[in-house]
Amino acid sequence: MEELLTPLKTKTTTSDLEGTGNHLTQAEPIQDTHSGSIQAPDSPEAVLEILSSKPDLNRLTRVLRWLDPKTAEDGQFNIKVPGPNATQIVNVLVNDIVPDYWTILSGQHDYVHVMPKLLILRCLSSVTGIGAITVRLRSLLNSNRNGGGKNKVGGVDESEPMRNLHRILESILERDTFVINIWNDITLLIPNAAARDLLWKELISVLATGRLLSIAAEASEILNMGSSSVENESWIGSGNEYSSWLGRNVGVMAVRLNEGDDEAWKGAARLLGKGLTLGYTDQMVEAVYSTLLFGEASSMVNLRALLHQLHLQEQRAMLYAMIRIVSKQRLSTDKSFNVLCTQQANTSTISGLAALLTGTTEDNPALKDALVEWLTGISGGGIGQTHDTHRAVIVAIAPDQERTQSILQRSLQLFGDKLYIKHTPVLHQEVNAQVLLMVAGYIHRSDPTYLTSIAQSSIYLNAISNRLAASSQRARFLGMIVGAAISGMVDPPDKRLAFSTEEVNNTEGQWYQSLVNVQDRVGCVDDIRRSTAPNRSNAKHTEPKEHESSKQLGQASGKLSTTSKIISIEAIDDDEEPEDEDLVMYEKPDSDEEDEDEDPTLVQRNKPTAPVYIRELIEGLRDTENYDRHKLALTTASSLIRRKANSGTEVSDHIEELATLLVGLGDKYEMENFQQLRLQGMIAVLIIQPLNMGQWFSKTFFDGDYSMSQRASILTTLGMGARELAGFKKEDAALTGADLVPENAFPSQKLPEKLHKVYALEAAPVVALAKNLERTMIQPMAIEAVDKFAGPNALKVRTFSSRMEVEKKRKKPIPNELAKIVAEGFFFPLTGRWRIQLQAYGDRSVQFSPFLLTSFLKTLSLILHASGASTLSLPQMTSEFWDLLLSLRSAGDDSTVLEALLFAFLTLLDINEDKRRLAEDHAKELLETQQWVEQVFEMATGGSGEGERVRVLAASVLVRSKEVVEKYQRLLMGDMLDYI
C-alpha cells in the first residue's frame, strides 16, 4: 500500500540537519517579481518576453518607459523604426496589453494610471502602430460579422476590445500635427531614401485610400448598434470630418516645410492627391486652403508650391473645389435683377476670390486654361454657380488679354450654334450669355478695336441671326439682349441695334444689358475671411412692435403689483353657510390629464407654448432634445410661415435657414404624421417665395448632402408646391398626408416596415398624382375608342342639357400663378442641373438610382402639366424635356423608370395642344418616340399588373403620337426622309 501513497509535504527539523556537515549550500534568494525595485529591460528581446508574460502595472510601466520614443537616444532601439522586433512589440501591445489594461487605465485619472496610458499612445504613434491597430480592428470586425453581431459571454461584452482600439485611434490622430510629426520621425530615424519612400507610401495607403475610414466607420456603427444610449458619432468614422482632419494635417505640413525640401513637398502632394479620391473633395480642399491662407502663418507661396507638385487633373479638381466652396459659403445665391444692387453686392468677397484665383494660377498656364474651360465649356463647372462667382473668375483672367479674347470667341461660337440653341438647357444658355456680356465689357475697355472687329465678323452675325430665328422665346430674348448690348458699345448712336419689345426693356432686360459695365478689382485673400456669409442667422433679430409693447406692458404690470398697498384682510369663517345656496357645485373630475402619472416628479407642468415668431420656430425645430417643444414647432410650422408671409421681412430673412432645417429634419421620436407635417412646412416655404425657393430646392436636390428619402421629399415639395400655385390646392390637400399611402406602394416585394415608412411616404403624393393624371389623360381616349366602334353617328342618340345645367357643371377659371415663373423657378433649374450632374458623374450619380429617377421624371411631368397649355415658355420646356426623356431610354430596363418615362411622354403630348407646332419643331423627336414606344409595347407582357400598366401607357402614347403623324403627314414627310 505504501507505493500508492504520495507525500504532500515534507518537513525537516533542526535535529534532522545535525551531522550533515558541509553538504549544505546556501540557497539564492527568490526575487519578488511584484516589488517596485525591478530593473528595467536592456534589450527589445527582453521587452518582448516581459510583455508576453502578462506583467503587472508596475512592470508594464517600467517597460513602457524603456520603449518611450521620446527618450530614446541615438543608436538605441526605437519602436518607431520599422523592424522585426518593433513589429512584434507593437503587435503584443495592440493584441494583449491594450485589451487587458486600457479599460483600467482609462477609468483612473491619477499619475499611476495616466502615465502608462500616455506611454502606450506614444509607442503606437507611428506608421507601424496605426497599421497594427487597423489590422486588429479589421479582424475584430470580421469576427463580429461571422458571429452575427455583438454578443455577451458570461456577462462580458465582446465589443470592448473594439471600443478600446477605436478610442486609441481617436487619441492618436486627434492633433492636426500628426502627419508632420510622422514625417519628421521618418526623416530623422531612417537615413535611406528608398526606405523612407516605402514607409510614406504605407502611411498614405492607410490614411488616404479609405482603408482606415471604412474600418472606423463600420466599427462606429457596430458599437452604436447594440447600445441603449447612442454614443456621439466618432469623427474618424465620418467622411466629412475625417477628410477635414486630413486636409488640416496636409495644410499644417505645407506651412512647416522648407521651400527647398523637394522630397517633403512631393510627399505632401502625394498624400493630398490620394486624399482627393476619398469622395469628400470640398471638405478636404477647404481644410487645406483655410489652414494655409487663414491660419497663423498665411502663405500663398506654400499653397502654390503644393499645387505645383500635384498632377494636372488633381490641380484642376482643387481649383474648382476652391471656387465652389467660396461661392457656397460667402457669395449670395439670390438672383436679383436690380442693376445697382447687383454691381455693388459682394464686391469684397468677389475681390477676395479673384485674389485667391490669381495667386493660385500665377505662373501656371495649365490652371489658367482650366479657368477658361470652367467658364466656356459645355460641361464646365461654372454652369451651376452664382453670377458673382463668374464675375470673380472673369476679373482674375481679365489681365491676360489672349485668354480673355479666347473666352469671347468660344462663348460666341456656342451662343450661335443651332444645336446648342435647340438642345441645351436654358440655364446653360443664360450663363453663357452672362459670361459673354461681361467679357465683352472688359475687352471693350482694354481693346475696343478688337471688339469692333468681332462685331463685324461672321461668327457674331451668324450667332445673332440664329438666335433671332430660333423657335424658343427665351433663345430669341438672349439673342436680342446680346445684340443690343454689343451694338451699343461698338456702333454709333444712330446705327445701334435696338428692340422695342417689352421683355428687352423690362427689369431683367436692363440687368442683362448692364453686365457690360461690370468692372471688379482683384483684392486680397483676407477679403474672403472678412466677408460675412449670406443668409446666416447671426444677424440681429428685430422683434415686431407688438412684442415690444407686450414686454413693456408686462414690466409695467409687474411694477404695479409689487407696489400695491394692502388695505385690509378679512377673516372668513368656514362654518358659515354660503349665501347662495341655490348654486350647484361642480363635481370633481374623475381624471386629470395633468396628474395621470402616479409619480408627481414625472408630471410636466411647464409645457411649451406654440411659437409666435419665426426665430422661435427655428429654435423649436432645432431643439430635438425637448419632445413637446419640437413636436409643437413642427405642427405649427406651416401655418406660422404662411401667416407671417406678408408681415414684414421676418420670413424672407430666415427662409433658406427654415428650408435647410425642414429638409434635413429627422424623425428622432417616430412621430405620427411626421412626414405630413414636414412636407407641409416645406411647401409653405416654397409658396412664400416660389421663384427663389424653387431654384434653391432644385439646387439642393442635386448639390445638398442629403439621403435619398430627403431628396425625394424635395421633389415632392416641388411637385405639390407647383400644383398649389397652379390652383390645385384643394384637390391635392389630402395627398400630403402620410396615411394615404396605398398598401401596395411597391409592385413586388415590400421593404421592411421601417424602410417602407421612410421611402414610400416621401414620394407617395407624387405617385398618387401621377396615377390620377394617367386616368385623366387615358379616359378620353378610351371613351373615344368606344364611341368609334359603337356604330354610325346617325344611329346614335344624343341628349342635350339646358344651358343652366351646363353652366352649373362648368368649373370656374382658376388663376394660374405658376405659369409666370414655372420655367425660371422650377423647370429649367431641374433640367439644367440634371445635365450638369449627368456630365459630371454619369449614371453613377445618386440621382440616377431608379427610386429618385422615377420621382424626378414624375415631378417634371406634374410641373409641366400644372403650368397649363397656354404657358409662354411651353415650347422651350417641351424641347428640353423631350431631349431629356430620349436620353434616358437606356434606363428603361427598370420597370418603374419605364413607367415614369411613358407617363412623361404622355404628359408631353397631351399638354401641347398645338399639334402643328410639334410636327414642325419636333418632327425627329416625335418619330424617335413613336418607334421606341412601339418596341416597348411589343416587348411588354400583359399578364402582371406592372406589364399591364406599361402596355396601357405605351398604347396611349402611340395613340397621341399617331394622331399628330396622321394629321400632319405631309408636313413631316421631309423630316421623316432625313430621319430614315
Side-chain angles (χ1 to χ4, degrees), residues 57 251 294 296 345 358 511 514 532 630 640 706 746 840 889 907:
L57 183 59
F294 305 142
E296 297 179 359
T358 302
W511 178 81
S514 68
T532 57
H630 184 65
L640 180 60
Y706 295 107
F746 288 88
R889 286 174 292 179
T907 306

Side-chain angles (χ1 to χ4, degrees), residues 6 112 130 189 249 271 275 315 357 387 402 444 451 477 527 549 569 621 798 804 831 842 854 861 919 951 958 965:
T6 303
V112 177
I130 298 298
L189 300 175
N249 273 265
L271 179 61
Q315 292 181 22
L357 297 177
H387 169 68
E402 181 180 354
H444 176 66
L451 185 62
F477 165 75
D527 291 337
S549 61
I569 300 176
L621 292 174
R798 298 187 180 273
M804 298 293 292
T831 56
T854 301
S861 303
R951 286 180 63 86
L958 286 176
V965 172

Side-chain angles (χ1 to χ4, degrees), residues 682-693:
M682 293 168 64
I683 293 175
V685 169
L686 176 63
I687 296 301
I688 298 305
Q689 293 184 3
L691 181 59
N692 294 333
M693 295 313 298

Side-chain angles (χ1 to χ4, degrees), residues 447-464:
D447 190 0
T449 56
Y450 179 79
L451 185 62
T452 303
S453 63
I454 285 291
Q456 296 173 355
S457 64
S458 60
I459 298 178
Y460 172 77
L461 296 177
N462 289 333
I464 301 301

Side-chain angles (χ1 to χ4, degrees), residues 40-54:
D42 55 357
S43 67
E45 290 80 6
V47 168
L48 189 60
E49 182 180 355
I50 295 172
L51 291 178
S52 302
S53 62
K54 303 292 182 181

Side-chain angles (χ1 to χ4, degrees), residues 104-118:
I104 300 173
L105 298 177
S106 300
Q108 303 291 333
H109 301 288
D110 56 322
Y111 179 81
V112 177
H113 292 84
V114 171
M115 179 52 64
K117 178 181 176 181
L118 295 178

Side-chain angles (χ1 to χ4, degrees), residues 84 103 116 124 133 193 204 276 453 547 559 595 628 637 701 793 848 931 945:
T103 304
L124 297 180
I133 295 174
I204 292 175
L276 293 176
S453 63
H547 185 58
K559 292 180 180 178
D595 297 325
D628 294 329
F701 172 73
N793 293 334
F848 212 84
Q931 183 179 2

